[in-house]
Amino acid sequence: MEPLKESDLKPDKDAPAPPRVRFGEVGYLGLRATAKRVLEEANVKLRFPYWLREVEEMRKDPSVAVAIQLYRMMIGRVKWRVEPPVGATDKQKERAKAVQSMMDDMEHSWSSFINEVTTMIEYGFCINEKVYKRRTKETSKYNDNLVGWKKLPIRSQSTVRGWKFAPDGRGVEGVYQSLFNLTNMGVLADDNPSLVSMGVSGSVIEIPRNKFLLFNCDTRNGNPEGHAPLKSSWLSYQYKKAVQEQEFSGLTRELGGIPVASIPARYMSPDASPEEKAIYDYYMAVVRNIHHNQQSGLVMPSETDPDSKQPLFKFELLKSQGSKAYDTSAIIARYDTQILISMFADLLQLGNNSMGSFALASSKSNLIAMAIEYRLKEIRDVLNFDLIPQTFRLNGWDDKDYPTFEFGDLDEVDIGEFASAIQRLSATNSIEKDRAFYNLTRTKVGLQAYPEDDPVHDEFLAAEATSRSGDSFNTPSGGLEGTRKSLSGDDKSVSNLEND
């Protein structure tokens, strides 16, 4: 963005006096919260911390697990870089390079940090503490004495016990982390002097807002917990689980049968003697134990009725004689589809049934790419509006235009399509051939990029382009005539029909 001309922004001489308007905030976000907890969800099971238990159960489901893994793999493969601001000075470029160097100067890799951030897909938010260091030869690859990043560790969602909201309710001032569930409680005891010095009380740590990065999905009304995409599939998962349980129960009954014991009616009468009631209770226990596979068999009396000559005691396994009223496989498959659709991951089902085509696969791929790009933008915005400004302030840099984190392409570009696009842009003089242009070309073909300030090596480039693929844009018909009507003998574009 070009600098503003201050002379054109001064008030006009004949303009009326500006109206009296309160500059400060008057309204509220409307976030429903109480006692350090957010109450936005109507269903208690979808509220934090109860949502933790649902996540642990849901991500064991194959459909849920593969959808989450798809997001994690595609976000994890994206490469990140730091770009200086538009029209940057030499000083701004150098500071952008310093920020870039901090990405590879931590105790963990940048990709592992991004992988932890993707847990916001399941929980709706992710907290990563900002731990800084002074870059010296003892602590860093560099010895420039800058303040860099030592690490950006996650603070597990299972340890979050609430939020510290501002007194006016318009923001978050911190988060409370519980230490009760940690295994090394000897180190984290309440009387530990190091914890007391950090403000730890009752095995709960208060982390101030300026000490952590808060990533969240689809935040609304300033909700620090965001809205987990996984919640959209919760209802379908519950129905699927119920059907699976009924299917399993029915299958065990079909395979083993329902145990049925027949005994004389007097044993079941309210007026039965204690001995007869004991026999009734015995056979009830036998039926129950065999149904639950806790008893392999039983001994039956051989006594028969004197009149009917039929056994007085009888035991059998009843089996179903008919067919199932519902196709449970189709029902479960329907809920699997709903789960994947809610996560924009139904692309994974293509090829598993008779439906699907190349065009459909392409459109589905575009949808999942848009969904993942949306999540990448949420991650990028937190880094650009939180991590970079604070890093600049800690280093004493008073820049108003900061460098920005940018992420690369989700998919590998087809080299043939890329080469064709470069040829057309070059032939029509539609792009400047500077170092950035040639670096992009080099990286796409698998070569290492040169430094941004490295001049273009003209001696390695062709002295004169022989392709006339751009001539058609200068024809009176606006390019409809092509170039094949007038080709020179040494024109190397003669066999490239895409040049028209």
Side-chain angles (χ1 to χ4, degrees), residues 21 38 43 64 66 78 95 100-101 134 205 236 257 296 355 456:
V21 177
V38 178
N43 191 330
V64 174
V66 72
V78 172
R95 291 175 177 178
Q100 178 80 44
S101 68
R134 182 69 68 177
I205 294 177
S236 296
S296 59
M355 306 298 293
V456 176

Side-chain angles (χ1 to χ4, degrees), residues 119-421:
T119 57
M120 69 180 187
I121 304 296
E122 299 134 88
Y123 298 99
F125 71 95
C126 180
I127 295 173
N128 292 76
E129 186 172 347
K130 294 175 286 188
V131 183
Y132 294 99
K133 66 180 179 181
R134 182 69 68 177
R135 303 208 311 184
T136 62
K137 60 181 181 180
E138 291 82 12
T139 62
S140 169
K141 300 177 183 178
Y142 308 90
N143 192 22
D144 48 22
N145 209 37
L146 292 177
V147 176
W149 312 323
K150 182 178 181 181
K151 53 184 177 179
L152 301 171
I154 190 175
R155 298 300 174 234
S156 174
Q157 289 88 347
S158 62
T159 64
V160 173
R161 286 298 173 266
W163 304 92
K164 182 180 181 181
F165 293 99
D168 59 3
R170 292 192 177 100
V172 174
E173 293 185 343
V175 65
Y176 297 101
Q177 184 184 27
S178 173
L179 307 180
F180 284 109
N181 296 329
L182 302 184
T183 57
N184 53 341
M185 290 304 295
V187 178
L188 302 176
D190 292 345
D191 56 353
N192 190 322
S194 62
L195 293 183
V196 174
S197 64
M198 292 189 299
V200 178
S201 176
S203 297
V204 175
I205 294 177
E206 178 187 329
I207 307 177
R209 181 64 186 88
N210 62 359
K211 271 291 292 176
F212 63 86
L213 298 168
L214 178 58
F215 302 91
N216 42 39
C217 298
D218 300 323
T219 181
R220 305 162 191 167
N221 299 332
N223 185 358
E225 296 175 1
H227 180 80
L230 190 58
K231 289 183 179 180
S232 302
S233 61
W234 179 82
L235 191 59
S236 296
Y237 168 77
Q238 296 299 323
Y239 289 151
K240 174 187 173 182
K241 183 177 72 170
V243 173
Q244 286 178 319
E245 290 174 350
Q246 291 297 322
E247 182 187 51
F248 178 76
S249 177
L251 179 62
T252 55
R253 291 179 181 180
E254 289 283 342
L255 295 176
I258 301 175
V260 177
S262 299
I263 61 177
R266 68 176 184 272
Y267 294 99
M268 305 170 65
S269 173
D271 300 330
S273 65
E275 292 79 8
E276 293 173 334
K277 290 183 179 180
I279 294 176
Y280 169 72
D281 292 338
Y282 166 75
Y283 277 96
M284 288 292 293
V286 166
V287 170
R288 186 166 48 249
N289 291 338
I290 291 180
H291 178 70
H292 291 98
N293 294 325
Q294 296 177 355
Q295 185 171 335
S296 59
L298 74 160
V299 179
M300 297 286 293
S302 60
E303 185 178 357
T304 59
D305 189 327
D307 299 328
S308 63
K309 305 302 181 182
Q310 297 294 323
L312 293 177
F313 296 88
K314 185 179 179 181
F315 181 84
E316 61 182 341
L317 294 174
L318 292 183
K319 296 182 179 294
S320 174
Q321 302 300 321
S323 60
K324 295 184 293 183
Y326 300 98
D327 185 359
T328 55
S329 297
I331 296 174
I332 293 173
R334 183 180 72 198
Y335 289 129
D336 277 334
T337 300
Q338 291 180 358
I339 291 173
L340 294 174
I341 289 176
S342 68
M343 299 283 288
F344 291 95
D346 51 319
L347 170 70
L348 299 172
Q349 286 190 322
L350 294 180
N352 293 335
N353 47 44
S354 58
M355 306 298 293
S357 64
F358 179 80
L360 180 60
S362 178
S363 61
K364 291 289 186 181
S365 299
N366 291 336
L367 283 176
I368 185 65
M370 291 172 60
I372 293 177
E373 184 178 3
Y374 183 74
R375 301 303 169 200
L376 286 168
K377 289 180 179 178
E378 291 177 326
I379 298 173
R380 181 191 63 186
D381 289 346
V382 174
L383 297 173
N384 289 339
F385 287 93
D386 189 333
L387 183 61
I388 287 183
Q390 189 175 68
T391 302
F392 266 58
R393 289 193 296 269
L394 290 174
N395 282 288
W397 301 335
D398 59 354
D399 298 52
K400 298 299 184 292
D401 294 327
Y402 299 111
T404 57
F405 277 98
E406 302 296 339
F407 52 85
D409 297 330
L410 289 172
D411 299 323
E412 294 293 337
V413 178
D414 181 81
I415 190 63
E417 295 180 359
F418 177 75
S420 178

